[in-house]
Amino acid sequence: MDLGAIVQNALRAGVGPDAAVFALAAIGLNVHFGYTGLRNFGQVGFMLVGAYGLGVCVDTLGWSMWVGIPIGLLAAVVLAFALGAPTLRLRMDYFAIVTIASAEILRFVARSTPATDVTGGPFGLPKPRSGGKRPLASEFFALSPFEPGRRYGIGQLQFSGNALWSLLVGWTLVALCTVLVATLVRSPWGRVVKSIREDEDVVRSLGKNVFAFKMQALVLGGMIGALGGIMLALANSSVGANSFQPQVTFFAYTILILGGAATRLGPVVGAFLFQLVFAGSQSLLSQLGAEGHLPALLRGDEAQGALALGLVGVGLMTLMAFRPEGIFGSKQEMVLG
Amino acid sequence: MADADADLVAERAALAEAERTIAPGSAARAARDVLAEVEPEPGVAKPDPILVVEGMRRSFGGLTAVDVDHLEVQRGAITALIGPNGAGKSTLFNLLTGFDRPDHGNWSFDGRPLVGLRTHQIARLGLVRSFQLTKALARLTVLDNMKLAGQDQAGERLLPALARPRWRAQEAAIEGRADALLERFQLSAMRSQLAGTLSGGQRKLLDMARALMTEPRLVCLDEPMAGVNPALTQSLLHHVTGLRDDGTTVLFVEHDIDVVMEISDWVVVLGEGRVIAEGPPHTVAKDPQVIEAYLGVADEENVG
Amino acid sequence: MSRRVRRPFDRAALAAAGLVVAVVLCSAGVADAQETTTTAPAATAVGGTVKVEGKALEGVRIVVTDTANRTVGEVRTDSEGVWTVPVPRAGAYRITLDTKTLPAGVRLRDPDRRRLEVQVQGGRTRFVLFGLTRGDGGGDGSGTSVPGTGAGSGTGGARAGGLSLGDRLARAAVNGLLFGLIIAVTAIGLSLIFGTTGLVNFAHGELVAFGAVAAWFLNVRGLHIGPLAGPRLQLVLAALVAVALGGALGAGLDRGIWRPLRRRRTGRFQMMVISIGLSIAARQGLLIWFGSGSPKYRDYGLQRAWRFGPVAITPRDLAVIAISVVVLVGVAVMLRSTRLGKAMRAVADNPDLASSSGINVPRVILLVWVLGGALAAGGGVLQGSATSVNYLMGFNLLLLMFAGVILGGLGTAYGAMAGSIVVGLATELSAVFIKPELKTVAALAVLIGVLLVRPQGLLGSRERVA
């Protein structure tokens, strides 16, 4: 048993680019669910339109990343309006199901063969056969001060130049979005959205256009989610529909609840811990398997991956049942909710 | 939509200005005197109505909850709305303030038709309600509950919200007004607590104080005294009469007949959704139909 | 007082849950012992099973190439039809099936899908399926089933060439009816559980998959208790046992998880998120237990279709339709006329009122869970026999079940039945006009469309929405 390796794997995942992507998704979800009380179960749809918005611009159309990124964000705005305009007035159960269904529609369409010329279809971007007009992340990595091939890091905790650049940019975006959201929720705007979360009838009775505030929150959180999708596309230099399964939204909820919903640092702490524990347990399981400590049923990567993922599910249940305020949240506020 | 809202705000300011010139000072005594001249019969016209309801109907399934042919509420007076449980009082409140839509009917506030307006637009015109079941925003502080009600806040718009200097002065002014109201409602000591920690009576006070924070011209209070500590009831009554003296029209639902007798200038009795009687408190109290429909039931309730 | 009354149910529920666990463990033991089906691939790979109508094909050549069209590996399927090709790293690969190596009479359902392009994740084996069919070609109409969408394509294919639009619509309507009835059977439980407890149960799909998988083990591997190897059960028998296990599992879930949570006054949203966690955990449990393949049951696999005018339908699918109709009518009659059914509807209408009028609400809810679990498991077996068994089949059905429940008006069981049939029809009929791989999209679009136009559902009353 190599405990050191397990800790390293866990830490690498905890600070890696994927953790930053999850943190962005969760910050957006915090605006939706944590502060405004919108039960958006299609956050992954916002990530998807961000990633494909960028990917299609660069790979299919050959445009610059600097055009692609704003278009990815704009796609999130369009999605927010399309989702919100008809459904924000519906009861919240319906909103949850409409959002998850919409995200699934987007995923099915993106990966369908008729869409191959645009999205790469089942193959994703970069498109396999013809090849893209422009490599997806070439401009992004051209900005990197690090050598792509070299390993950087302290001791055993090392990243390639490109991974290091991705994670630095990712966490910088996380920091910026955290500050942005923190500033907003301390303003009168934040007071209104938090009040909507508590009881939208009161807010309405006081002369506020609840619908408009919900829409603003949906757009803002969706754009932050799209930023996560864009970051994912850049870090991987690819976009695939399989990265946007419904469970990504569920992970974002797990992260948010783990770190504490409606707290400023909840999404960040949650994303770090989530990736840390997930990668750590996978690494532990794979070592146990290699040393023959696991029953036959749990041998093999598939079973171990499933077990680690299953533990996420159990973790989500346990958290929500016993500590819905998160591991650092205040019990008092939760009881009142 | 933003333009329409801005129009409403402008209109509201103009109306408020007009009101100050028409009805200067305390209209309290005047209201009662003027109403003394009005015939105590259902649907009677008032000299200076702020709210006029015309043919308003709302039914749920086959049950007609509200069926009001004509009702006027006198400006600057305290009007009580009474009636047995299920008489449609709360439904009428919901309809007037846009929380529910009538099957048909018209109503206007200060001459402005309200049909088709959304809840928040009605509130912005100055027709504001409190709730029967208190709705404290539990995970906000008492002070934030109050500050939320401040109107036309620059910091509530998404981009200015990011620039604190844009709204700092207004925020301070709103906080000042909020503190003054909290003082009046004896909630100052709780200003930094989460509203969810308040007792039922305190929430009731907060609910009312918050409605007043919007500076309404007509405030609809849904059972403001229910569940309030008796020691506070008297001061609450004082607040309600104080509102009238400041020029605010009050329409309130109340079960406690003593309260109704003490503070109201005019009483409207609802039975099975219809206005069955209206008039000055002591006239209504003698109406046999009212005694049968309402007071009799109330007595039974008290006994049981 | 009520405690004493409830006791036997507690015990029964615990025993039932214990039984479920025992069966799961036993079957798991079986999987250990046999360990022949899949050799656990240690690294990043692509693989799959080449079968036609449930029969493995040996010696079929598969070629894997990368994005630059370099050959990564080439392999022939073994006696079980299994093939695996390790790939150097995560990424996109192209998998080609050499049609010349197929036995005579076997061909691809869709000749365009000879070459598939897949995205492989690091450390995982990406399973690739080629849709094959036996037959002499020419519009015999085997459906093009898209792996992973879970939308069942039962009998006649919607894209079969050379048919008039009317004929294709007729075939699609039969498929849609079949699929809709299966959704209806599974969705009643979802609707009743929501109606009586307010829980939006995201883990309902796993009950469906559980039923299908349990029946598969009983049908294909046989009943094993400890070292005693029992006989392999005929599918009908296996299905009955699976339905009983599903009911027991439902009871266990209510007593083990949901009832304690209701007692703690857990909020509706919290419960919904807990059900999402449960769904993830249960799905991964099914993956570990069953693996990621999509096998079929031993019985009723190969059947000659009966022809009724333009419509061809196998006796199996006809039986599935008949069974579903009988079950749905039975449940409707039960809800309408039995004391239990009336109690269930009373609890759904107003739990407090029901409780004060002497109905034992916790017991009714327990029985709703038993019924819901049993129906879900039964629906799983029906879906499994109409298509194939997969650990994801329930999750893939979940959104369509939600669609059916919402379409019919949230919380009304009859509405759920009607709504589900509409969803099934929309799914299959849309495949006449758009690519079959997008038919789920059409069903979800119908859901969203109905929510916008008639949020109370097709049969719901307006007040429910307020």
Side-chain angles (χ1 to χ4, degrees), chain C residues 252-295:
Chain C
L253 287 173
D254 184 46
R255 280 303 188 254
I257 298 178
W258 302 113
R259 187 164 167 231
L261 287 172
R262 283 197 301 276
R263 283 199 164 171
R264 289 161 49 113
R265 306 213 165 275
T266 310
R268 271 174 61 167
F269 176 75
Q270 254 173 288
M271 296 222 287
M272 179 170 117
V273 174
I274 291 169
S275 82
I276 289 174
L278 179 62
S279 155
I280 296 174
R283 198 155 60 243
Q284 302 309 319
L286 284 167
L287 172 59
I288 293 172
W289 181 31
F290 182 70
S292 55
S294 297

Side-chain angles (χ1 to χ4, degrees), chain B residues 24-95:
Chain B
S26 160
R29 202 67 258 157
R32 205 165 270 210
D33 291 345
V34 168
L35 286 169
E37 311 282 314
V38 176
E39 278 298 307
E41 57 190 38
V44 69
K46 311 289 185 312
D48 181 16
I50 189 168
L51 181 73
V52 178
V53 181
E54 188 69 54
M56 184 182 269
R57 266 169 204 82
R58 176 76 170 103
S59 54
F60 300 102
L63 196 79
T64 303
V66 165
D67 183 2
V68 172
D69 285 335
H70 191 89
L71 179 65
E72 295 187 0
V73 173
Q74 171 71 12
R75 185 191 310 276
I78 298 177
T79 303
L81 193 60
I82 64 172
N85 284 330
K89 305 182 296 284
S90 289
T91 309
L92 182 59
F93 263 31
N94 285 342
L95 292 171

Side-chain angles (χ1 to χ4, degrees), chain B residues 111-185:
Chain B
R112 194 191 195 296
L114 299 185
V115 178
L117 287 193
R118 307 232 314 273
T119 311
H120 72 273
Q121 294 171 317
I122 293 175
R124 283 187 194 184
L125 287 172
L127 171 49
V128 175
R129 69 171 304 177
S130 73
F131 294 89
Q132 182 185 358
L133 301 169
T134 50
K135 292 180 177 248
L137 307 167
R139 283 181 287 175
L140 269 68
T141 64
V142 169
L143 185 64
D144 273 344
N145 264 268
M146 293 296 290
K147 283 156 82 175
L148 171 70
Q151 298 295 295
D152 311 325
Q153 297 191 40
E156 287 180 358
R157 293 198 302 277
L158 196 54
L159 289 178
L162 289 169
R164 189 137 195 244
R166 290 277 306 271
W167 45 269
R168 189 183 285 141
Q170 192 188 20
E171 181 84 351
I174 287 173
E175 188 163 328
R177 280 207 305 122
D179 272 328
L181 268 169
L182 287 176
E183 184 73 47
R184 247 172 88 181
F185 282 80

Side-chain angles (χ1 to χ4, degrees), chain C residues 68-338:
Chain C
N69 228 349
R70 283 183 300 256
T71 302
V72 175
E74 189 186 316
V75 74
R76 282 184 184 266
T77 55
D78 65 13
S79 59
E80 306 243 319
V82 174
W83 62 274
T84 314
V85 175
V87 295
R89 66 188 69 81
Y93 294 92
R94 186 175 306 157
I95 324 294
T96 313
L97 181 138
D98 185 349
T99 47
K100 285 188 223 92
T101 58
L102 287 172
V106 175
R107 57 178 185 83
L108 284 159
R109 280 183 198 147
D110 181 351
D112 296 343
R113 293 182 66 82
R114 183 173 79 88
R115 175 169 296 167
L116 301 174
E117 290 165 344
V118 298
Q119 200 77 32
V120 184
Q121 293 184 342
R124 304 258 169 91
T125 295
R126 170 63 200 246
F127 281 79
V128 180
L129 292 176
F130 291 96
L132 297 174
T133 183
R134 205 186 278 277
D136 49 3
D140 75 332
S142 302
T144 310
S145 102
V146 183
T149 60
S153 75
T155 50
R159 290 206 304 150
L163 287 171
S164 73
L165 180 66
D167 289 356
R168 288 194 296 160
L169 283 174
R171 288 186 169 201
V174 173
N175 282 341
L177 184 68
L178 172 76
F179 189 39
L181 285 168
I182 293 174
I183 299 175
V185 170
T186 58
I188 299 170
L190 192 67
S191 170
L192 281 174
I193 289 165
F194 174 81
T196 49
T197 68
L199 170 68
V200 178
N201 183 20
F202 271 77
H204 204 74
E206 278 59 49
L207 282 170
V208 175
F210 168 81
V213 166
W216 186 87
F217 271 105
L218 295 166
N219 176 241
V220 176
R221 292 279 176 79
L223 185 66
H224 292 251
I225 297 171
L228 297 170
R232 301 198 289 184
L233 300 185
Q234 204 276 343
L235 183 57
V236 173
L237 214 58
L240 291 175
V241 177
V243 167
L245 289 173
L249 184 59
L253 287 173
D254 184 46
R255 280 303 188 254
I257 298 178
W258 302 113
R259 187 164 167 231
L261 287 172
R262 283 197 301 276
R263 283 199 164 171
R264 289 161 49 113
R265 306 213 165 275
T266 310
R268 271 174 61 167
F269 176 75
Q270 254 173 288
M271 296 222 287
M272 179 170 117
V273 174
I274 291 169
S275 82
I276 289 174
L278 179 62
S279 155
I280 296 174
R283 198 155 60 243
Q284 302 309 319
L286 284 167
L287 172 59
I288 293 172
W289 181 31
F290 182 70
S292 55
S294 297
K296 284 177 161 277
Y297 292 119
R298 206 157 47 85
D299 305 293
Y300 312 121
L302 250 173
Q303 286 186 333
R304 183 179 294 276
W306 292 343
R307 286 194 163 272
F308 302 95
V311 178
I313 185 165
T314 59
R316 175 197 66 216
D317 290 345
L318 206 58
V320 168
I321 290 178
I323 293 169
S324 308
V325 168
V326 168
V327 167
L328 292 176
V329 170
V331 171
V333 168
M334 192 277 291
L335 284 176
R336 195 169 283 277
S337 7
T338 65

